[in-house]
Amino acid sequence: MAKPQVVVAPVLMSKLSANAPEFYPSGYSNFTEPYEDGVEDYPTLSEYVQDFLNHLTEQPGSFETEIDQFAETLNGWVTTDDALQELVELVYQQATSIPNFSYMGARLCNYLSHHLTISSQSGNFRQLLLQRCRTEYELRDQAAKGDEAARKRFHAFVLFLGELYLKLEIKGTNGQVTRADILQAGLRELLNALFANPVDDNLICAVKLLKLTGSVLEDAWKEKGKTDMEEVIQRIENVVLDAHCSRDVKQMLLKLVELRSSNWGRVHVTSTYREATPENDPNYFMNEPTFYTSDGVPFTAADPDYQEKYQELLEREDLFADYEENGTDLSGAGDPYLDDLDDEMDPEIEEAYEKFCLESERKQKQ
């Protein structure tokens, strides 16, 4: 059954006229055309939101300059439970179905959670968004065991939840800003589902998630006295030893273990997420994930040209596009994990793998 069309009150129509310059963020084209009799056709909420989402997908750099107007327009339009539910679903679908929109989608969700004024009987924007994510989360075991299409959808959800964990800010009663504990727990269970079904694409998704969130997750777990990251690393070691995954994926997993052993590439770990600031911690930005350019050069949010480099990263071909297309080729050009792979293991990798196996056997005998 089609969702009911959102009706805008007449008093708002004058403000939301498709011809009014304040209706669209700068750079927008008017997609409505007048009827033959001269009466204008006004867009629905769905059309307006989808148009803006598509605009952000094509021009992510416009977020900073146009998000205020977008939120202001929504506050005059999203005034019912149904409208809020529709908005949440539109943003969720864009973030989990459009390649490279998960980061932007998480930023958008954080902004709307703090700037939308409506709080319906069902909850506010953030609460409804988390409810929508939970619906997908409950299907994790089934999705991880599903066919290729089901797993691909599941992986998009997993990476969006990772971005959401990093970007969604929860303000406490005393004004302190924290991350959502419910997402932290959810990511742990999603990793369990991926490792419990160790086919190549599930393991690739797990590596991507840990490269994205590993440092932040480990800090949060340590702060609570938990050893979850140790358990995750143990799962990875078991997969390397026992699972029938490809050689390339095993090398990726070993590289991830190596990255974690170097404290995720950071100088040192700050005491807590809340206490660290750019003023009192010279490595503040190192709490953010480490990314790599097409040349394999690492960069973080501390770099002056971070936005430009990250945008280039988003625009690059997906890291494992070739694998997803034909299921065999994993040697994506420019990736430091997969560059220069010959038919045999590199001597350095082979030596590291042998040491890893010997160390694992020693631990099992103890």
Side-chain angles (χ1 to χ4, degrees):
M1 179 181 295
K3 292 184 178 179
Q5 179 174 335
V6 177
V7 179
V8 183
V11 68
L12 291 175
M13 272 301 187
S14 61
K15 296 181 180 180
L16 302 180
S17 168
N19 289 331
E22 66 271 17
F23 183 81
Y24 290 97
S26 60
Y28 262 59
S29 60
N30 186 344
F31 58 79
T32 58
E33 297 292 341
Y35 289 117
E36 293 182 0
D37 59 3
V39 178
E40 292 180 342
D41 177 24
Y42 297 106
T44 63
L45 172 65
S46 176
E47 290 171 332
Y48 172 65
V49 172
Q50 190 62 59
D51 194 42
F52 183 78
L53 295 176
N54 293 340
H55 176 64
L56 280 184
T57 302
E58 296 172 359
Q59 302 181 39
S62 65
F63 180 90
E64 297 292 346
T65 58
E66 299 177 0
I67 187 61
D68 289 345
Q69 179 61 49
F70 178 65
E72 182 180 347
T73 301
L74 290 181
N75 278 326
W77 203 336
V78 180
T79 58
T80 66
D81 287 5
D82 287 344
L84 185 57
Q85 288 277 10
E86 183 178 19
L87 173 62
V88 168
E89 185 65 22
L90 287 167
V91 175
Y92 174 85
Q93 289 297 333
Q94 188 87 356
T96 58
S97 62
I98 303 300
N100 297 328
F101 194 76
S102 58
Y103 167 79
M104 184 60 66
R107 288 188 66 193
L108 179 61
C109 288
N110 181 59
Y111 189 92
L112 294 180
S113 72
H114 293 293
H115 291 84
L116 282 186
T117 56
I118 181 176
S119 182
S120 68
Q121 293 180 351
S122 303
N124 56 32
F125 178 88
R126 184 178 70 240
Q127 291 168 332
L128 293 184
L129 173 66
L130 293 178
Q131 288 175 21
R132 178 63 181 88
C133 290
R134 184 171 185 84
T135 299
E136 201 73 24
Y137 167 82
E138 295 292 350
L139 303 174
R140 61 191 182 282
D141 293 326
Q142 178 182 346
K145 298 176 184 177
D147 59 22
E148 184 177 351
R151 294 198 307 272
K152 188 174 182 178
R153 290 192 299 271
F154 176 56
H155 299 158
F157 164 69
V158 169
L159 295 178
F160 170 60
L161 213 67
E163 293 284 10
L164 198 61
Y165 174 63
L166 296 179
K167 299 294 180 291
L168 190 62
E169 298 176 340
I170 310 297
K171 293 184 178 180
T173 55
N174 297 326
Q176 74 275 21
V177 177
T178 61
R179 293 188 171 97
D181 285 344
I182 190 173
L183 294 180
Q184 179 189 122
L187 291 176
R188 179 70 171 89
E189 292 304 317
L190 291 175
L191 284 169
N192 286 342
L194 291 167
F195 287 127
N197 300 276
V199 295
D200 279 3
D201 57 355
N202 279 347
L203 295 176
I204 290 169
C205 180
V207 169
K208 288 181 178 180
L209 179 62
L210 286 169
K211 286 175 64 179
L212 178 68
T213 65
S215 62
V216 179
L217 284 173
E218 183 163 16
D219 287 351
W221 286 331
K222 283 183 176 179
E223 186 179 340
K224 297 177 180 179
K226 295 183 177 181
T227 59
D228 289 49
M229 187 56 70
E230 297 292 343
E231 296 170 9
V232 169
I233 296 301
Q234 184 62 56
R235 291 290 295 271
I236 292 176
E237 293 176 349
N238 292 339
V239 167
V240 172
L241 288 173
D242 302 329
H244 299 292
C245 57
S246 70
R247 174 178 59 87
D248 294 337
V249 171
K250 286 186 177 182
Q251 287 191 12
M252 289 174 55
L253 292 169
L254 287 172
K255 283 289 188 180
L256 182 68
V257 173
E258 181 182 339
L259 178 65
R260 189 260 178 172
S261 67
S262 67
N263 195 21
W264 305 99
R266 300 176 299 179
V267 177
H268 73 270
V269 181
T270 56
S271 56
T272 65
Y273 166 70
R274 290 185 296 274
E275 293 176 1
T277 67
E279 290 73 26
N280 65 24
D281 179 11
N283 296 305
Y284 173 79
F285 287 107
M286 298 303 287
N287 288 318
E288 296 299 324
T290 299
F291 301 98
Y292 295 87
T293 67
S294 59
D295 298 324
V297 178
F299 68 94
T300 68
D303 295 319
D305 52 353
Y306 168 75
Q307 289 292 343
E308 180 181 351
K309 288 182 178 179
Y310 194 88
Q311 183 55 40
E312 289 177 0
L313 179 67
L314 294 181
E315 293 174 355
R316 278 166 47 197
E317 180 179 356
D318 185 74
L319 182 62
F320 302 101
D322 291 337
Y323 172 81
E324 292 174 354
E325 290 176 3
N326 56 43
T328 56
D329 186 7
L330 285 171
S331 55
D335 185 81
Y337 283 82
L338 300 177
D339 275 351
D340 303 324
L341 285 180
D342 299 319
D343 292 337
E344 301 296 333
M345 281 188 180
D346 293 336
E348 181 181 351
I349 294 295
E350 187 172 7
E351 181 182 358
Y353 181 70
E354 291 175 355
K355 290 181 179 179
F356 167 77
C357 292
L358 291 173
E359 180 66 18
S360 298
E361 291 178 2
R362 185 185 65 80
K363 289 181 178 179
Q364 292 175 357
K365 291 179 181 179
Q366 290 179 349

